[in-house]
């Protein structure tokens, strides 16, 4: 999944440390989409859980782009 021009840069906050599933739920209402963050940020999130730490900047896809890419 490649980056899109309308992805937004997000800095991981304390409540999401090591919990990409919680961020996925808050953004997409689906905790099972946690893997999207590591797919979109392979150089920043080599370990999708332990690299998901406070202060790390990641690119996040818009929900509409995600739905189109996944066919949902």
């Amino acid at each position: 999944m490649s980056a899109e021009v309308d992805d937004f840069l997000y800095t991981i906050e304390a409540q999401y440390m090591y919990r990409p599933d919680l961020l996925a739920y808050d953004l997409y209402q689906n905790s099972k989409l946690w893997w999207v963050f590591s797919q979109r940020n392979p150089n920043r999130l080599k370990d999708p859980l332990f690299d998901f730490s406070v202060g790390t900047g990641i690119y996040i896809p818009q929900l509409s782009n995600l739905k189109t890419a996944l066919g949902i």
Side-chain angles (χ1 to χ4, degrees), residues 12-70:
I12 298 170
E13 299 170 273
Q15 69 263 32
Y16 300 119
M17 186 164 176
Y18 309 135
R19 295 299 307 267
D21 59 323
L22 294 179
L23 182 58
Y25 182 80
D26 287 348
L27 292 174
Y28 306 130
Q29 290 70 54
N30 186 340
S31 62
K32 293 179 182 178
L33 293 175
W34 64 269
W35 58 269
V36 168
F37 307 129
S38 59
Q39 289 293 311
R40 189 66 105 214
N41 300 276
N43 295 329
R44 296 174 189 223
L45 300 174
K46 293 182 194 287
D47 183 306
L49 296 180
F50 292 111
D51 289 341
F52 211 84
S53 58
V54 175
T56 301
I58 60 171
Y59 288 98
I60 295 182
Q62 298 289 332
L63 180 57
S64 58
N65 292 343
L66 186 58
K67 285 183 173 183
T68 299
L70 298 176

